[in-house]
Amino acid sequence: MDVVDTVLVTANVGFFYAILIWLLLHTLRQSKLRRVVFLEQEPNFFSTITLLLNFILTLLTIAFAFHEYRTNKIVRHSSVTFALTWVMASLVSFYLMKKTTRDNKGFPFVLILWWVWASIVEAISVSIGLMKNNLDLWMFLSEDDNIVGVVSLPMLLLLLCLNVCAREEQYTTDMEQLLVHNKSKEEEDDEDGDGENFTNAGIWSQLTFRWLNPIFRKGRVQKLELAHIPDVPHSETAENASSILEESLRKHKLEEGSLTKAIASSVWKSLALNAVFAGVNTIASYMGPLLITYFVNFLVDDNSNSSIQFGLILAFIFFLSKTLESLSQRQWYFGAQRIGIRVRAALMTLIYSKSLMIKCAGPTHGKIINLVNVDVDRVGDFCWYIHGVWLLPVQVILALVILYINLGFLPSISALAVTILVIMCNTPLANMQEKLHSKIMEAKDTRIKTTSEIMKNIRILKLHSWESTFLQKLFQFRDTEKSWLKKYLYTCSAVATLFWTSPTLVSVVTFGVCILVKTELTAATVLSALATFRILQEPIYNLPELISMIAQTKVSIDRIQELINEEDQNQFMNKHASKDSLIAIEVKPGEYAWETNDQTNKKPIIQITENLLLKKGQKVAVCGSVGSGKSSLLCCMLGEIPLVSGALIKVYGTRSYVPQSPWIQSGTVRENILFGKEMNKDLYESVLDGCALHQDINMWGDGDLNLVEERGINLSGGQKQRIQLARAVYSDSDIYFLDDPFSAVDAHTGTHLFKKCLMQLLSDKTVVYATHQLEFLEAADLILVMKGGKIVESGKYRELIACPNCEFVRQMAAHEETINQINPWHEDNSISSRPLQKNQIEVAEENLQDSIRNFKKNKEEEAETGRVKWSVYSTFVTAAYRGSLVPVILLCQVLFQVMQMGSNYWISWAAEQTGKVTKGQLIGTFVLLSGGSSIFILGRTVLMAVVAVETAQRLFHGMITSVFRAPVSFFDTTPSSRILSRSSTDQSTVDTDIPYRLAGLVFALIQLLSIIALMSQVAWQVILIFVVAFAISIWYQAYYITTARELARMVGIRNSPILHHFSESIAGAATIRCFNQEQIFMTKVKDLVDEYSRVAFHNYATMEWLSVRINFLFNLVFYFVLIILVTLPRSAIDPSKFLLPHLIFDDSSYKHDTCK
């Protein structure tokens, strides 16, 4: 009794000081911030009743303490501390009824926690009193000590119910009061506070994830949007994470494996804290098997020495260890997710920065997208596994220690030997998984590459009716991927089977050795050993998986490291000219080639054999036949083509570039023209006029705010060319490189562009333009004639035209001959054609007017709202073989559960039946039952693989067929990155994740129902406890699901803009570099990554929020069950039945069925 009294006194004193400290801190904070707002109305009903109940309970405890002193002349410390804490609780209730603040809505959590603790104490006191009196209510009430408990317990329960109902109403009332008093100030505080919810949260709030409550309240009353989600903490922002990683990279730049060391160096503090939680979780998880021995011995001991108080202390330690295990596990998992978010943000930013800097002959567009979409995710996911390197030996050592304590030396050594054997059997399966996964990724890369090419050219395919041909081609690639996926999932089935049967193998061998060496087996030692074997599943499964993850992560890091080690685009020497210098471009002899690393192909594509000096203000024309090297010469001047030998071309001044293939970014027309510059209205209007864009802008409904779709798909070729020309002119650079700027416009518009733009707006600028329109050469100050990658002639127009045998004259003659061949046809048809002639702008206006008027702008991807419809689940479940295999899988799971429970119950029951059950019968029956459970689990895993493959295949066929059947307008309004995201990331989730998660939910429900059925056989009261627990958990999940569902949808949506921005930026990297706009695009990608991170961060946190509460709820249920077990008569107890659920149920077991 002294022990129980000490525990109560310690808890009461702790709550007393906690409430007192809260009151002092709250008063001090309000006095500093001056944020107390007095209510203008009377306290509401809930506050009044709460205060009244607190005062009544305080008077009851004080009266009981006086009665105890008057009767026994002794006052227990627990009674005094209990009364004092109630006095403090009443004072706080009175204080809070008078005032309310914007920071604290309702009663503080510490006060609510005190009410919960008092309810638990009174409930246990009443339960023990009833058990002592054999459930005789009159005898129970005849004792004075029990009257206070009987009166207090209903009042405490009423107090808790009132506050649960009142929290939402009080929150709404307080918000209205505060809005009346200081609306603008509150909005400002909300903006500042929401984004810092996690950062400003206290230790207890972070431990229980209470800082998420405002988001849940918001999600409960309306659909969550991105604006409602607070910003990601500063440590997880792309700016912070990338700067730390880059600093670490600079420190380890010269070392081998520098990226791995840099990542570890940038997150080592978080990893260390995460390691503490992982260690605490591991130690707490082994407290269960250790305590089972003591608990079972207490239950089977008939001596009077085993008091009820000792059993209650054991039950409390059980509850405490399970609570500590669940809390540390949630912090461990959430910490790993946070580190993963940080690593992903840093690597994405690093890859993007590098992709803008590397030379054009570097990694392909598809490889960079795969680095972002696959390799970065894999490195981020490794944060889950990194602690396994040191946790695995710790787990095995702790298990061996417990086995040694319970069974002795030889059985524990045999268990270690079998564990090592099972791990060795699992290792080749893990290696096979890795190889098959690599094959799947290769097949997926091929399919995604083809899909990307098809999406970019879908208009051509549809105009030629080639959809069926290319659809069959995609089906062939998918069939190849399916064959590897099927082998991979069958291998996963073998691994999952080994995981579930490993405790059986270890237990059969260990108990067999115990029988051989004549080690005494009791219910206590058997149940403790079975619990230890269950925990040993983790290292058995995790070691091969850890090895596989290390190998896969190393491959991904090496691929990223290869990109980082690429030579920067630093060949271009952008030297600013002095005011006295007249030189704009200095061309020196040299050779340039794309393939600088290919030793078998050293032939340069551009050869410059003489010096050229291009002066400021000159108009330099580059002409030549198709493939002569005009565009390549401009790229050499821009530094885009690597130098093989000779000297670099030097450009003095700022540059602008108009590529031959127009590059238009998504956004408005105005954003494309300004391209990061400030708006200068006069210059802007001059540029629009010079580039003949006024007519187009007047034609668009939104003018220059007209939205440009992906790749400018809603613009004509001429419009895109003129917009990017306007972008270059508006930049007001010193030197302009124009690659065939008149190719996509008609003669009338081309003449306008040449006269108004080149000759007027750019009259004092240096312009180098490549063109096929030879009529624009006469006005050039210098003409460069290209042939075979060389500058064969250079000079003014009159000088070149005067040489009859020159290349320039031959090209002019060929041009005139072509025009003469076309002119007779025009003359013959001049009468009929002349009335119909219109310039291209008018034709474009007529053709595009209707489509633009009805054009649906590309909006942000919309997500479904509300509950996931049952039709979605039924479609998924019945996709494979119309769902005929689902009942068979469920039957296998039920039979596996029955045989597993039967084998565990048999070995624990038969161990106590000395003389009735022979050792041969004991181990033989155990082997048969365990072997049967292994067979059914094998059937379940194989059938799951069959269903998963067929379901994924059918869903893919339906999705890609629907995409190919969609009209062209669908592709005009849907970014290709969104389709690629469905075809890659989402399809991978369907392939290897969703079937197993859905099945795991059903299997866990079967397991839980089995536990309830087993426990209710001993004490039917358990059903009542589970009913209450289920009701609370269902309420929690209903409260949780509205917010979590929207967050999960937003996570999928927020990934597509990142991929789209990557694809768009890589396509226009040369233009971005030329305009020196890298920083603006870096800022945009960081913002996109932060938007994804903030949604992912809170999505992970909401999962942990629910897990903390559900885990605590069922830990509490388990605690009450143990109390019932302690207080029941010993003759009515079968410890095996009550403790088997602890061995059977593992809320994390079914994650191992998921093939990631």
Side-chain angles (χ1 to χ4, degrees):
M1 188 65 75
D2 293 338
V3 176
V4 176
D5 195 61
T6 303
V7 173
L8 290 174
V9 169
T10 304
N12 294 338
V13 171
F15 275 109
F16 177 85
Y17 281 108
I19 296 172
L20 178 62
I21 291 171
W22 180 91
L23 181 61
L24 294 175
L25 291 176
H26 181 270
T27 307
L28 181 63
R29 183 168 63 248
Q30 296 305 317
S31 64
K32 286 183 177 180
L33 298 178
R34 298 180 180 179
R35 297 175 67 182
V36 178
V37 178
F38 291 90
L39 291 175
E40 294 180 351
Q41 59 183 21
E42 294 297 321
N44 60 28
F45 171 78
F46 294 109
S47 300
T48 305
I49 295 298
T50 299
L51 179 62
L52 181 63
L53 290 174
N54 273 277
F55 272 120
I56 293 174
L57 289 168
T58 302
L59 292 175
L60 276 174
T61 53
I62 294 174
F64 176 72
F66 275 110
H67 173 74
E68 189 178 42
Y69 174 75
R70 199 173 73 175
T71 304
N72 303 324
K73 303 300 180 182
I74 296 175
V75 179
R76 290 181 299 169
H77 294 90
S78 58
S79 300
V80 174
T81 54
F82 201 60
L84 288 174
T85 310
W86 269 115
V87 170
M88 182 59 64
S90 298
L91 290 175
V92 172
S93 300
F94 179 75
Y95 169 78
L96 289 174
M97 190 184 73
K98 290 293 183 182
K99 300 174 182 179
T100 184
T101 69
R102 286 179 287 178
D103 291 335
N104 296 278
K105 304 171 180 66
F107 293 95
F109 185 73
V110 65
L111 188 60
I112 296 173
L113 199 61
W114 163 249
W115 294 336
V116 173
W117 166 255
S119 303
I120 293 172
V121 170
E122 296 295 353
I124 294 174
S125 175
V126 170
S127 301
I128 293 174
L130 286 172
M131 293 297 178
K132 284 183 178 179
N133 292 282
N134 296 320
L135 303 180
D136 190 334
L137 185 61
W138 293 110
M139 289 183 63
F140 171 73
L141 294 175
S142 64
E143 299 179 7
D144 295 337
D145 295 352
N146 297 328
I147 295 176
V148 175
V150 171
V151 175
S152 300
L153 185 58
M155 297 175 69
L156 284 166
L157 295 177
L158 178 61
L159 189 64
L160 292 174
C161 292
L162 282 173
N163 278 275
V164 168
C165 298
R167 287 185 71 83
E168 189 65 31
E169 179 179 330
Q170 184 169 355
Y171 170 75
T172 305
T173 304
D174 291 349
M175 290 300 294
E176 291 174 354
Q177 292 286 330
L178 291 168
L179 284 171
V180 169
H181 282 84
N182 200 342
K183 182 176 181 180
S184 61
K185 181 66 178 175
E186 182 185 355
E187 288 177 355
E188 180 182 343
D189 291 341
D190 283 347
E191 289 176 0
D192 295 337
D194 285 350
E196 299 294 325
N197 267 340
F198 174 79
T199 307
N200 289 343
I203 296 176
W204 180 251
S205 180
Q206 290 193 13
L207 199 62
T208 58
F209 297 89
R210 289 185 67 241
W211 53 272
L212 281 170
N213 289 348
I215 299 177
F216 281 106
R217 282 197 292 266
K218 179 74 71 174
R220 190 181 180 187
V221 297
Q222 67 182 94
K223 179 189 173 183
L224 276 184
E225 297 177 358
L226 184 64
H228 299 145
I229 311 301
D231 291 335
V232 71
H234 178 70
S235 58
E236 275 74 47
T237 58
E239 179 68 34
N240 180 71
S242 61
S243 62
I244 294 175
L245 181 59
E246 288 172 2
E247 184 180 351
S248 300
L249 270 174
R250 284 193 292 270
K251 293 179 181 178
H252 302 88
K253 192 171 184 180
L254 301 178
E255 301 178 19
E256 185 178 353
S258 59
L259 181 59
T260 305
K261 296 177 183 177
I263 293 174
S265 176
S266 63
V267 297
W268 73 268
K269 292 181 181 178
S270 300
L271 284 175
L273 179 61
N274 207 231
V276 172
F277 287 119
V280 171
N281 173 259
T282 301
I283 295 172
S285 66
Y286 278 88
M287 290 296 293
L290 190 63
L291 291 172
I292 283 178
T293 304
Y294 297 100
F295 202 83
V296 174
N297 287 333
F298 164 78
L299 294 178
V300 299
D301 188 6
D302 293 329
N303 297 330
S304 59
N305 295 331
S306 56
S307 63
I308 292 179
Q309 285 75 20
F310 179 71
L312 292 176
I313 292 172
L314 280 178
F316 182 75
I317 296 174
F318 243 122
F319 169 72
L320 194 63
S321 65
K322 292 297 291 182
T323 302
L324 185 63
E325 178 188 357
S326 61
L327 287 176
S328 59
Q329 186 184 61
R330 305 284 43 107
Q331 292 299 319
W332 173 18
Y333 287 176
F334 183 60
Q337 294 285 15
R338 286 188 63 192
I339 297 171
I341 289 173
R342 192 181 310 173
V343 171
R344 287 187 188 96
L347 289 178
M348 280 185 181
T349 308
L350 184 65
I351 291 172
Y352 184 82
S353 173
K354 205 68 183 179
S355 65
L356 293 182
M357 296 166 61
I358 57 177
K359 58 193 177 185
C360 297
T364 62
H365 171 271
K367 182 177 180 181
I368 293 176
I369 294 298
N370 278 338
L371 287 176
V372 175
N373 217 15
V374 179
D375 295 290
V376 169
D377 271 350
R378 190 174 293 162
V379 176
D381 290 340
F382 183 69
C383 298
W384 277 85
Y385 301 89
I386 193 168
H387 294 302
V389 175
W390 63 272
L391 275 180
L392 287 176
V394 171
Q395 289 175 322
V396 173
I397 291 171
L398 289 175
L400 291 177
V401 169
I402 295 174
L403 289 176
Y404 176 75
I405 294 172
N406 291 320
L407 301 178
F409 179 73
L410 285 177
S412 59
I413 292 299
S414 64
L416 175 62
V418 178
T419 301
I420 294 173
L421 180 64
V422 173
I423 290 175
M424 291 175 62
C425 294
N426 206 356
T427 302
L429 292 174
N431 293 334
M432 190 180 300
Q433 271 185 307
E434 181 184 354
K435 293 177 182 178
L436 291 172
H437 186 267
S438 299
K439 293 292 185 182
I440 292 174
M441 292 306 298
E442 291 175 6
K444 191 186 298 294
D445 286 345
T446 304
R447 177 173 61 83
I448 296 301
K449 180 182 176 182
T450 305
T451 306
S452 178
E453 292 174 352
I454 290 173
M455 291 301 107
K456 289 180 179 179
N457 300 283
I458 190 68
R459 189 182 296 271
I460 298 174
L461 300 186
K462 285 190 169 291
L463 291 176
H464 288 83
S465 299
W466 289 344
E467 300 104 302
S468 59
T469 303
F470 282 86
L471 182 62
Q472 292 302 318
K473 188 176 181 180
L474 273 184
F475 284 160
Q476 292 174 5
F477 288 137
R478 175 61 186 179
D479 288 340
T480 305
E481 184 182 354
K482 176 190 172 184
S483 64
W484 293 115
L485 178 64
K486 185 182 295 185
K487 295 176 183 177
Y488 176 74
L489 291 182
Y490 284 152
T491 307
C492 290
S493 300
V495 172
T497 302
L498 193 59
F499 168 79
W500 285 104
T501 57
S502 56
T504 300
L505 297 173
V506 177
S507 58
V508 166
V509 174
T510 305
F511 292 144
V513 172
C514 288
I515 292 174
L516 290 177
V517 299
K518 298 182 180 180
T519 300
E520 182 183 1
L521 292 177
T522 64
T525 57
V526 166
L527 290 171
S528 178
L530 288 173
T532 307
F533 297 150
R534 171 54 61 89
I535 297 178
L536 266 177
Q537 281 180 307
E538 290 293 324
I540 289 174
Y541 179 89
N542 286 342
L543 180 59
E545 187 182 25
L546 178 62
I547 295 172
S548 174
M549 276 302 299
I550 290 174
Q552 292 180 30
T553 306
K554 185 179 183 302
V555 171
S556 294
I557 288 181
D558 288 344
R559 280 161 56 90
I560 299 172
Q561 179 83 57
E562 182 183 354
L563 175 71
I564 294 173
N565 291 338
E566 285 282 344
E567 184 180 358
D568 289 355
Q569 183 65 36
N570 57 4
Q571 291 192 27
F572 181 75
M573 300 178 67
N574 187 8
K575 292 188 176 180
H576 295 277
S578 63
K579 294 181 180 180
D580 299 333
S581 176
L582 298 176
I583 305 302
I585 303 175
E586 185 179 353
V587 181
K588 294 183 179 181
E591 295 182 347
Y592 298 83
W594 292 113
E595 302 295 335
T596 56
N597 297 324
D598 189 355
Q599 299 299 324
T600 62
N601 182 18
K602 295 183 180 180
K603 183 179 179 180
I605 61 170
I606 293 294
Q607 289 179 301
I608 301 175
T609 56
E610 58 184 24
N611 292 315
L612 287 174
L613 295 177
L614 308 184
K615 297 180 180 180
K616 285 185 177 181
Q618 279 191 331
K619 305 297 181 287
V620 181
V622 182
C623 65
S625 59
V626 175
S628 60
K630 300 184 298 297
S631 299
S632 297
L633 178 63
L634 265 61
C635 287
C636 291
M637 293 180 177
L638 290 169
E640 294 296 324
I641 302 179
L643 178 69
V644 176
S645 63
L648 288 168
I649 298 175
K650 296 181 181 180
V651 177
Y652 299 90
T654 56
R655 307 152 291 154
S656 290
Y657 175 50
V658 176
Q660 187 173 18
S661 298
W663 177 73
I664 303 293
Q665 61 176 351
S666 301
T668 63
V669 173
R670 179 183 294 180
E671 289 172 349
N672 272 277
I673 296 174
L674 297 181
F675 205 53
K677 297 280 186 179
E678 294 293 333
M679 167 63 82
N680 183 332
K681 194 65 177 176
D682 294 335
L683 175 61
Y684 185 73
E685 289 297 328
S686 300
V687 169
L688 293 182
D689 181 60
C691 296
L693 282 171
H694 272 304
Q695 295 187 47
D696 301 274
I697 289 175
N698 294 332
M699 178 179 62
W700 294 321
D702 295 329
D704 62 349
L705 297 180
N706 182 63
L707 193 64
V708 178
E709 300 303 324
E710 184 183 20
R711 303 188 310 276
I713 199 168
N714 58 322
L715 301 176
S716 68
Q719 288 171 333
K720 286 187 283 187
Q721 189 73 297
R722 282 177 284 133
I723 288 174
Q724 71 165 354
L725 181 60
R727 175 176 63 206
V729 175
Y730 188 83
S731 67
D732 194 24
S733 302
D734 297 324
I735 304 166
Y736 291 81
F737 297 93
L738 312 181
D739 192 356
D740 209 357
F742 316 116
S743 59
V745 297
D746 60 282
H748 172 77
T749 306
T751 302
H752 176 88
L753 293 177
F754 186 79
K755 290 181 179 180
K756 291 282 188 180
C757 190
L758 262 70
M759 304 310 294
Q760 290 185 15
L761 291 177
L762 303 179
S763 59
D764 58 341
K765 305 291 185 180
T766 303
V767 181
V768 181
Y769 61 98
T771 182
H772 287 288
Q773 280 84 351
L774 302 184
E775 60 271 19
F776 298 137
L777 298 179
E778 189 172 356
D781 298 313
L782 179 66
I783 299 174
L784 304 179
V785 183
M786 299 293 298
K787 183 178 181 181
K790 298 178 181 179
I791 302 176
V792 294
E793 296 170 5
S794 63
K796 294 187 177 182
Y797 182 84
R798 294 184 181 278
E799 296 174 356
L800 295 176
I801 203 69
C803 181
N805 297 322
C806 292
E807 177 65 24
F808 180 73
V809 174
R810 284 195 289 269
Q811 290 186 14
M812 291 293 289
H815 178 66
E816 292 177 1
E817 182 180 354
T818 304
I819 292 176
N820 292 332
Q821 291 175 354
I822 297 173
N823 281 338
W825 183 84
H826 279 291
E827 292 172 1
D828 294 340
N829 296 278
S830 60
I831 297 176
S832 60
S833 63
R834 187 173 293 112
L836 299 177
Q837 285 182 345
K838 294 181 180 180
N839 64 55
Q840 279 197 358
I841 294 178
E842 294 171 344
V843 174
E845 182 176 352
E846 291 179 1
N847 292 340
L848 293 176
Q849 189 67 33
D850 293 337
S851 62
I852 289 177
R853 186 181 298 114
N854 299 321
F855 183 76
K856 182 179 180 180
K857 293 182 178 180
N858 177 22
K859 297 179 180 179
E860 185 177 306
E861 184 176 357
E862 295 182 359
E864 293 289 335
T865 58
R867 305 177 67 89
V868 179
K869 298 178 182 177
W870 285 107
S871 59
V872 176
Y873 293 109
S874 63
T875 300
F876 187 84
V877 171
T878 58
Y881 310 107
R882 297 186 177 179
S884 58
L885 292 180
V886 174
V888 182
I889 294 173
L890 294 178
L891 180 62
C892 287
Q893 173 64 21
V894 171
L895 293 175
F896 159 72
Q897 197 69 59
V898 170
M899 289 197 167
Q900 188 186 46
M901 293 171 62
S903 62
N904 291 340
Y905 178 71
W906 165 259
I907 192 71
S908 58
W909 175 83
E912 295 290 333
Q913 308 301 316
T914 306
K916 297 181 182 179
V917 179
T918 64
K919 294 180 179 179
Q921 291 175 333
L922 185 147
I923 197 69
T925 306
F926 181 68
V927 169
L928 286 176
L929 291 173
S930 301
S933 67
S934 301
I935 292 173
F936 285 114
I937 199 65
L938 175 63
R940 190 201 80 186
T941 54
V942 172
L943 290 175
M944 274 298 304
V946 173
V947 169
V949 171
E950 186 63 24
T951 301
Q953 190 72 357
R954 287 183 177 274
L955 290 177
F956 174 80
H957 276 237
M959 175 193 69
I960 206 68
T961 302
S962 299
V963 170
F964 270 73
R965 288 177 178 174
V968 176
S969 59
F970 170 78
F971 301 97
D972 291 344
T973 59
T974 305
S976 60
S977 58
R978 192 178 299 172
I979 300 173
L980 291 177
S981 180
R982 298 293 173 272
S983 187
S984 58
T985 307
D986 293 343
Q987 185 62 43
S988 297
T989 305
V990 173
D991 287 344
T992 59
D993 197 13
I994 291 180
Y996 294 92
R997 288 188 182 275
L998 188 60
L1001 172 64
V1002 178
F1003 298 158
L1005 288 175
I1006 293 173
Q1007 194 180 59
L1008 191 59
L1009 292 174
S1010 304
I1011 291 171
I1012 296 173
L1014 179 66
M1015 296 176 69
S1016 61
Q1017 289 185 4
V1018 179
W1020 61 268
Q1021 297 90 341
V1022 173
I1023 297 179
L1024 299 178
I1025 297 177
F1026 271 103
V1027 168
V1028 175
F1030 270 126
I1032 297 174
S1033 64
I1034 289 172
W1035 181 87
Y1036 262 125
Q1037 292 181 49
Y1039 185 79
Y1040 154 87
I1041 196 66
T1042 54
T1043 300
R1045 186 169 50 219
E1046 300 305 324
L1047 284 172
R1049 285 166 172 162
M1050 278 194 277
V1051 168
I1053 291 173
R1054 288 292 150 193
N1055 195 35
S1056 295
I1058 299 175
L1059 297 179
H1060 174 68
H1061 187 66
F1062 262 84
S1063 300
E1064 192 173 70
S1065 302
I1066 294 169
T1071 304
I1072 295 170
R1073 285 195 295 269
C1074 185
F1075 282 82
N1076 296 321
Q1077 296 295 314
E1078 295 94 334
Q1079 192 57 45
I1080 292 178
F1081 279 78
M1082 283 295 302
T1083 302
K1084 183 175 181 181
V1085 80
K1086 287 176 182 177
D1087 291 340
L1088 291 173
V1089 171
D1090 284 344
E1091 286 183 2
Y1092 172 79
S1093 296
R1094 70 195 283 198
V1095 176
F1097 177 86
H1098 289 88
N1099 182 48
Y1100 296 140
T1102 53
M1103 298 178 191
E1104 305 306 333
W1105 181 93
L1106 180 66
S1107 298
V1108 164
R1109 283 148 181 78
I1110 298 299
N1111 285 350
F1112 180 78
L1113 178 64
F1114 280 94
N1115 289 341
L1116 199 61
V1117 169
F1118 188 64
Y1119 177 52
F1120 282 131
V1121 169
L1122 292 179
I1123 290 175
I1124 293 173
L1125 191 61
V1126 169
T1127 54
L1128 281 175
R1130 303 296 170 84
S1131 58
I1133 296 174
D1134 186 347
S1136 303
K1137 290 183 179 180
F1138 257 93
L1139 291 176
L1140 269 180
H1142 180 76
L1143 311 180
I1144 296 170
F1145 187 70
D1146 182 1
D1147 58 352
S1148 62
S1149 293
Y1150 290 104
K1151 71 180 181 182
H1152 299 295
D1153 283 349
T1154 305
C1155 304
K1156 289 186 179 180

